[in-house]
Amino acid sequence: MVRQREFDEERALDDAMRLFWEKGYKATSLSDLTSKMGIQRPSLYSAFGDKEELFEAALRKYVKLHSSSIRKKLQNNQSVKKAFRTFFEELVEEEYKESPSKGCFCINTMVELAPHDEKFEILTREHQLYLSVIFQETIAEGIKSGELESSLNPKKVAQTLVVSLIGLTVLMKSRPERSFIDNSVTMILSLLK
Amino acid sequence: MVRQREFDEERALDDAMRLFWEKGYKATSLSDLTSKMGIQRPSLYSAFGDKEELFEAALRKYVKLHSSSIRKKLQNNQSVKKAFRTFFEELVEEEYKESPSKGCFCINTMVELAPHDEKFEILTREHQLYLSVIFQETIAEGIKSGELESSLNPKKVAQTLVVSLIGLTVLMKSRPERSFIDNSVTMILSLLK
DNA sequence: TGTATAATATACTGATCGGTATTAAAAGAG
DNA sequence: CTCTTTTAATACCGATCAGTATATTATACA
């Protein structure tokens, strides 16, 4: 009714998302959060609940952005093969551009929290499943258009691409020789016959 | 000279390894460690140094065991293809058998620490490189024996198998439908022509 | 057996953790 | 302007963190 919030909730959640993404759940303190978000503790608690609720909101925001970003990158391409190649190459380029690499917030959470908290096990599982469906639909279109062989199993290939995407993203955190990654991308894309 | 240590250092380090493996670095407290290892704080510090030194020793022990375990599983097989298939299938079986899955200590560390600590970036990178060399040697033997096509590039395939291994291990933490994993394993192994 | 030495156990340190009670400030309603 | 309500800011809470000082116990050697 009366005094209205002085900070932009969506903006603050975005700051929290980036911080949890970079540092993980445990390693991010409330002091880190409030200073990055530019708000005080009581404001954080009244707006987002406790640390875990804020983390969950941040992750949900991330997977929403991540899904639509990937969907966007794969569509509007005349060639499905080229779309996937560009997608993987840009991903690798992006990760090697900055040090440390940004990685994927959802993958980080799969490792840190999914084994110890069913809520995050489900949330991360469903995101990976969703990505595999996006991949699958893209591959199915490629078959329909005649670009890809009809003997290809869109679901199986899509799932394998998701597994490979996870593997690449995690491995790049150790910053291996670029050829390690490039070779793998080439081999993986060879599954799209 | 005089009073000798009452606890088995190697045994205590093994306990620490399992705990860090399960919970990660940040989420494992000194109290967790001393109670699991069955020793007091001063004993821990005098024997292993601080928390980070203990963690590093635990991880080094892990990668040593992990390397030799994988090497063992891949050799003594008449067929290279069968060796890899058995290796991946047993890995999946093992991970689905218990909940939560054990995962890989080195992969966990790649995600949690490698991006923020060069020491662990290097340690984890070298382990993955080492695994790729084991894979590469196995594949090269398969080519030499005539089981695998000579057109195969052992290094590239080996690196791709490492990427896939990482992806599978991480994804299984979210406990997806078994078919997601099985389909991926089948596709990945199809690279071994 | 007495002494030196090192490992043990207890108890404590300052710092930081997540979370909150309390106080001050802001703004619409009357 | 005053009152009411909700926000924001300060300061604080007990708990736990990693790490250590102190004291006790055990043992090899003189």
Side-chain angles (χ1 to χ4, degrees), chain A residues 128 131-132 135 157-167, chain B residues 171 180:
Chain A
Q128 303 306 318
L131 294 188
S132 80
F135 285 4
V157 174
Q159 291 171 333
T160 309
L161 291 182
V162 168
V163 166
S164 304
L165 176 59
I166 295 170
Chain B
L171 181 57
F180 197 137

Side-chain angles (χ1 to χ4, degrees), chain A residues 114-115 121, chain B residues 94-102 173 175:
Chain A
E121 176 193 304
Chain B
E94 197 68 29
E95 294 292 291
Y96 270 92
K97 202 186 309 180
E98 41 195 331
S99 178
S101 58
K102 298 207 321 294
K173 286 179 176 290
R175 306 201 87 68

